[in-house]
Amino acid sequence: MAEAHAAPAAQLAAHRDDQASKMGMWLFLFTEILLFGGLFLLYASYRAKYPQAFHAGGQALDLVLGATNTVILITSSLTVALSITALRRGQTVRCLWLLAFTVACAATFMLNKGIEWGAKFHHGLIPGSEHMARLPQGQSIFYGLYFAMTGLHGLHVVIGASVLLWVMLLIRRSKITGDDYAVLENAGLYWHIVDMVWIYLFPLFYLIA
Amino acid sequence: MEHTAQDPHERPFFAPSGKGGLASWIFSTDHKRIGLLYLGLIMLMFSVAVVLGLLLRLKLMTPGNTLLTPQQYNAIFTLHGVIMVFMVVIPSIPASFGNIFLPLHIGANDVSFPRLNNFSWWLYVTGLVLALVSIFTGNGPPDTGWTFYVPFSEHTTTNVSIAVIAVFVLGFSSILTGLNFITTVHRLRTPGMTWRKLPLFVWSLYATGWIQVLATPILGITALLIFSERVLHLGLFDPGRGGDPLLYQHLFWIYSHPAVYIMILPAMGVISEIIPVFSRKPVFGYNMIAFSSLAIAFAGSLVWAHHMFTSGMSDNAVLLFSFLTFVVAIPSAIKVFNWLSTMYKGSISLDPPLLFSLGFILMFSIGGLTGLVLGSAGTDIHVHDTYFVVAHFHYVIFGGTGLGMFAAMHYWFPKVFGRMYDHTRAFWSFWIILLGMNVLYFPMFVMGLQGMPRRYYDYLPQYAPLQMVSTWGSWILAVGLILMFHNLYRGCRYGPVATKNPWGGATLEWTLPTPLPAEAFYGDPVAPEPYDYKGVNPDG
Ligand SMILES: [Cu+2]
């Protein structure tokens, strides 16, 4: 920024420490897992307290949409990984297409999520609504957790996709290249975490029935 | 580099290089400038919270409806707590002196992620601004206490929503600082700086960094949950809908107990630096001090529910958490014994930094031992939520971290500002502060044992004499603080020019020019034995 950072390129290269940036990213990913960890803790307690309600709640969720979204996210994780390989081999265009596909997956995921939430809202399952309040105790908690956890996850999908878009821009401007791809790798790691959290959310909400 | 008149290895880091001005500070990626920015803001917030504390004491000097309305009183103790905890004590030593000296201690010219460092300062500023907004908008400042306990925090009409978002942002800032420090310690040690040659201050910041990274996210989700409970009405903690308020308390303390080690460990690191320098003896039990920092970080994350002994938790849980709480006292005691053994038969010079460190040991020991009264389940039932708790944590946090921070200020002052403060005044300010703290907080132990509940607006006449004494103590303390800050201010404006190594420290920062230059090291410095004082002498 404004400071004495008009350093010559050679000096900047000497300061580059890809291992440090990867380490920083892993630490950050820990914090993301722990952020969700708080919610998983709530889930575990309430699940133990209201097993029947959670069973009933799980049955009411749309398994097809959930499974579709799982496939979409896993595929997108694959394409992110492939994009890194592509860039390292100097196939910039291929890399960009793979990233674009990943972002498209993210958009589709969010679209499905929107449809799913929309259906729930349509049935009166709106947080804070009269209908929610009148549900049996455990079910209201189930849906509360469902909205909180998939909502926070959806937020992470949006953030992750935005990061990938930004990375695409950097690649087009040759700020990220086959020799200097730590940023892409870190963005990819972040995307894997987003994917991984969903892999836990899916069985916990959709498959417990 | 720009073509400036002066070599950055000689130009003081705070002197302008070419284009100076505000932007060269607030957008600076230099760890020393960022450290100073933090120090300034932290001290500003400290002053604000001290004034709030004085107001509380003034109200409590007499029973009945005086000076403040109950609502104002609730808001002020909440603000005092929130500001002190999240904006002063959590960032205090790591963000200011840690930022400045952690890289220098390991022979690096900056942290691993300088821009991220600047970003965390901006997050800190954002948190402050949000907190300010929560005070002056909506239905007035939060009145829940700094713990934001449900169900009250879900239902109060005051500005809790914005305040918890401020806490979330401040937590994020703290995480990024911790992450930066951990990576820096792993990646940027100068060749030969093995783990067993790390200054103990670095060890303590390293352990703190792990707590910041591993515990703070839980605070983040807790704050977000309060926010969504209030805004989206998910009902996750609402007993009426099957929620369990106790789970909130668990989540809150899973962060907030480890947080007390974020507060105290860096201060312990400072003390571990100061004691050997002023005893002219290698630190006693280096390995144990370093190891106990990690042990505290680990064991400290397993004791959170000792804040909930009276909450209706199962008896098994109470016994387990009580036992674990006793375990965590061991590494703290190891440190205290090591410091004292370091001083034993040392050639002690009672300069201000050492004096503040001794104050730390005294106050921390009182605070720590009374902590065991609270940690043992039986006695806690009697003193839970009384003034005893208030006295305990003020001894630990103010008497411990606060004095540790002041010790750091007096120790590194000449290195940072290039000038020396007046020692006689520093002595006086120390003794007045120590006296003030004890007059202020010791009566609270007594009142607590007699049953005076914390956070109460009014009290029975039987507590009146001690409440009065405690308020006098707050005035003495205020005088001491004013004297100390005035002395430091005068020192940095008009004090005599400081030498390179006024105390005879053996860590790397004392090999650098005074005041610290913009660029610290030429190449990689040789890693010294940090506590070997042969051939290292105080200047003059
Ligand atoms: Cu605790």
Side-chain angles (χ1 to χ4, degrees):
Chain A
M1 300 213 175
E3 245 320 75
H5 255 248
Q11 201 182 328
L12 273 180
H15 278 283
R16 204 179 109 193
D17 184 351
D18 288 352
Q19 232 174 311
S21 41
K22 221 190 248 181
M23 185 172 188
M25 193 62 199
W26 274 107
L27 287 171
F28 181 68
L29 297 182
F30 279 148
T31 69
E32 287 284 5
I33 294 174
L34 285 159
L35 186 79
F36 280 97
L39 289 173
F40 281 116
L41 206 68
L42 289 187
Y43 179 93
S45 311
Y46 286 134
R47 167 91 191 279
K49 202 170 173 185
Y50 305 113
Q52 269 103 34
F54 273 55
H55 180 80
Q59 269 175 335
L61 294 183
D62 190 331
L63 186 59
V64 177
L65 267 184
T68 314
N69 263 350
T70 310
V71 174
I72 289 173
L73 270 198
I74 292 179
T75 314
S76 73
S77 244
L78 176 71
T79 49
V80 154
L82 289 175
S83 79
I84 300 172
T85 319
L87 190 68
R88 280 166 66 181
R89 291 191 181 146
Q91 301 159 323
T92 313
V93 179
R94 189 182 152 89
C95 168
L96 285 172
W97 274 112
L98 284 163
L99 286 175
F101 182 80
T102 313
V103 175
C105 283
T108 321
F109 179 93
M110 289 310 289
L111 192 70
N112 284 343
K113 194 94 273 177
I115 294 172
E116 210 186 321
W117 276 33
K120 290 277 164 294
F121 291 161
H122 190 72
H123 288 293
L125 290 168
I126 302 165
S129 66
E130 277 289 300
H131 182 75
M132 279 274 275
R134 269 187 278 110
L135 285 177
Q137 284 208 331
Q139 277 203 34
S140 140
I141 294 286
F142 177 85
Y143 285 112
L145 277 172
Y146 165 78
F147 283 120
M149 295 178 86
T150 57
L152 188 64
H153 177 261
L155 193 65
H156 278 76
V157 171
V158 172
I159 295 170
S162 317
V163 170
L164 289 176
L165 279 174
W166 171 69
V167 164
M168 286 170 69
L169 198 73
L170 290 181
I171 294 176
R172 286 201 57 170
R173 289 186 184 164
S174 301
K175 292 269 171 61
I176 300 174
T177 61
D179 307 310
D180 185 2
Y181 55 89
V183 178
L184 171 60
E185 223 175 1
N186 282 339
L189 277 176
Y190 187 83
W191 190 252
H192 291 323
I193 282 290
V194 171
D195 184 16
M196 205 195 77
V197 170
W198 178 256
I199 289 180
Y200 281 91
L201 289 182
F202 175 60
L204 287 181
F205 282 106
Y206 295 80
L207 298 183
I208 51 161
Chain B
M1 288 293 136
E2 295 99 313
H3 296 280
T4 48
Q6 264 183 308
D7 182 355
H9 288 279
E10 278 159 26
R11 169 172 56 81
F13 74 94
F14 48 76
S17 72
K19 46 182 194 284
L22 188 63
S24 76
W25 281 89
I26 59 175
F27 297 120
S28 173
T29 55
D30 175 13
H31 66 111
K32 301 177 285 296
R33 288 195 171 197
I34 294 173
L36 219 50
L37 286 176
Y38 265 115
L39 184 64
L41 273 187
I42 290 167
M43 283 303 132
L44 181 72
M45 295 322 287
F46 175 71
S47 321
V48 172
V50 163
V51 170
L52 295 176
L54 286 170
L55 261 176
L56 293 174
R57 277 317 322 164
L58 199 59
K59 149 72 199 88
L60 290 167
M61 190 163 75
T62 46
N65 203 338
T66 53
L67 190 65
L68 302 171
T69 65
Q71 183 60 26
Q72 286 169 334
Y73 176 82
N74 288 351
I76 289 178
F77 79 64
T78 302
L79 289 177
H80 172 78
V82 169
I83 294 176
M84 279 297 193
V85 170
F86 295 111
M87 300 170 204
V88 179
V89 189
I90 293 273
S92 62
I93 294 174
S96 60
F97 292 105
N99 244 323
I100 301 177
F101 290 105
L102 175 113
L104 303 182
H105 269 168
I106 61 172
N109 273 329
D110 210 320
V111 290
S112 273
F113 311 116
R115 275 187 299 176
L116 193 68
N117 204 8
N118 179 260
F119 180 60
S120 26
W121 183 77
W122 275 103
L123 282 179
Y124 178 69
V125 173
T126 311
L128 294 193
V129 171
L130 282 173
L132 274 181
V133 171
S134 83
I135 297 175
F136 294 112
T137 60
N139 278 329
D143 55 352
T144 58
W146 76 281
T147 47
F148 300 114
Y149 267 17
V150 294
F152 182 60
S153 60
E154 289 179 14
H155 299 299
T156 174
T157 54
T158 56
N159 235 337
V160 169
S161 305
I162 299 177
V164 291
I165 292 301
V167 166
F168 178 85
V169 173
L170 290 167
F172 198 9
S173 159
S174 171
I175 286 177
L176 293 181
T177 303
L179 180 156
N180 216 337
F181 284 2
I182 295 174
T183 315
T184 306
V185 173
H186 275 278
R187 298 295 303 164
L188 294 183
R189 282 171 291 139
T190 187
M193 178 70 73
T194 58
W195 286 90
R196 293 176 65 177
K197 273 191 178 180
L198 282 186
L200 290 165
F201 183 53
V202 176
W203 266 112
S204 75
L205 288 175
Y206 180 73
T208 308
W210 277 108
I211 311 178
Q212 285 172 298
V213 166
L214 296 180
T216 318
I218 305 291
L219 174 74
I221 194 66
T222 313
L224 286 185
L225 277 169
I226 296 248
F227 182 81
S228 43
E229 288 288 284
R230 289 176 63 85
V231 177
L232 306 173
H233 309 285
L234 294 177
L236 290 178
F237 300 122
D238 179 359
R241 290 202 263 158
D244 185 354
L246 264 195
L247 281 173
Y248 171 83
Q249 296 189 17
H250 277 295
L251 283 181
F252 181 82
W253 289 111
I254 285 176
Y255 166 75
S256 295
H257 185 81
V260 308
Y261 298 108
I262 298 177
M263 303 176 190
I264 198 74
L265 273 175
M268 290 171 156
V270 170
I271 306 306
S272 306
E273 290 305 312
I274 292 176
I275 299 258
V277 170
F278 292 87
S279 309
R280 313 306 304 154
K281 252 184 74 192
V283 70
F284 181 87
Y286 171 93
N287 290 337
M288 283 315 282
I289 297 187
F291 165 76
S292 61
S293 290
L294 296 179
I296 288 177
F298 175 72
S301 58
L302 302 174
V303 300
W304 72 87
H306 61 206
H307 296 269
M308 302 163 56
F309 286 162
T310 62
S311 67
M313 209 169 52
S314 85
D315 284 351
N316 289 335
V318 169
L319 287 177
L320 179 71
F321 279 105
S322 181
F323 170 74
L324 289 170
T325 303
F326 276 80
V327 171
V328 83
I330 297 171
S332 310
I334 287 178
K335 282 187 196 283
V336 171
F337 292 131
N338 278 320
W339 294 326
L340 297 181
S341 313
T342 304
M343 296 183 70
Y344 181 65
K345 288 194 175 169
S347 157
I348 292 169
S349 35
L350 216 50
D351 289 315
L354 183 67
L355 215 48
F356 278 99
S357 306
L358 295 178
F360 170 97
I361 296 180
L362 173 76
M363 300 297 280
F364 176 74
S365 301
I366 299 175
L369 289 171
T370 50
L372 292 178
V373 176
L374 294 162
S376 83
T379 42
D380 180 68
I381 304 296
H382 182 64
V383 287
H384 186 88
D385 258 348
T386 66
Y387 270 33
F388 194 88
V389 181
V390 181
H392 155 70
F393 68 72
H394 280 92
Y395 265 83
V396 176
I397 301 300
F398 198 4
T401 310
L403 287 182
M405 178 91 186
F406 299 160
M409 281 159 66
H410 285 84
Y411 179 55
W412 280 309
F413 184 91
K415 188 44 84 183
V416 173
F417 295 107
R419 290 179 184 273
M420 188 55 99
Y421 48 83
D422 184 88
H423 282 214
T424 318
R425 282 167 198 251
F427 276 107
W428 277 106
S429 61
F430 167 74
W431 285 112
I432 297 172
I433 288 174
L434 192 72
L435 177 74
M437 277 183 181
N438 281 287
V439 176
L440 166 57
Y441 299 121
F442 200 84
M444 293 190 186
F445 279 129
V446 183
M447 283 188 275
L449 285 173
Q450 292 170 350
M452 171 75 212
R454 68 190 286 201
R455 291 177 173 172
Y456 272 34
Y457 174 73
D458 201 357
Y459 49 82
L460 296 173
Q462 70 196 76
Y463 300 114
L466 285 175
Q467 291 276 18
M468 175 84 81
V469 172
S470 178
T471 302
W472 292 340
S474 72
W475 298 341
I476 303 174
L477 179 61
V479 170
L481 289 174
I482 291 169
L483 189 62
M484 183 186 78
F485 282 117
H486 178 245
N487 183 33
L488 291 175
Y489 173 74
R490 263 177 41 127
C492 87
R493 290 302 296 272
Y494 317 109
V497 173
T499 54
K500 194 169 168 184
N501 194 355
W503 317 119
T507 39
L508 275 173
E509 78 271 30
W510 304 107
T511 65
L512 296 168
T514 289
L516 288 170
E519 284 277 325
F521 302 105
Y522 297 94
D524 294 323
V526 178
E529 286 292 340
Y531 304 106
D532 181 6
Y533 300 108
K534 282 194 205 80
V536 184
N537 288 309
D539 298 326

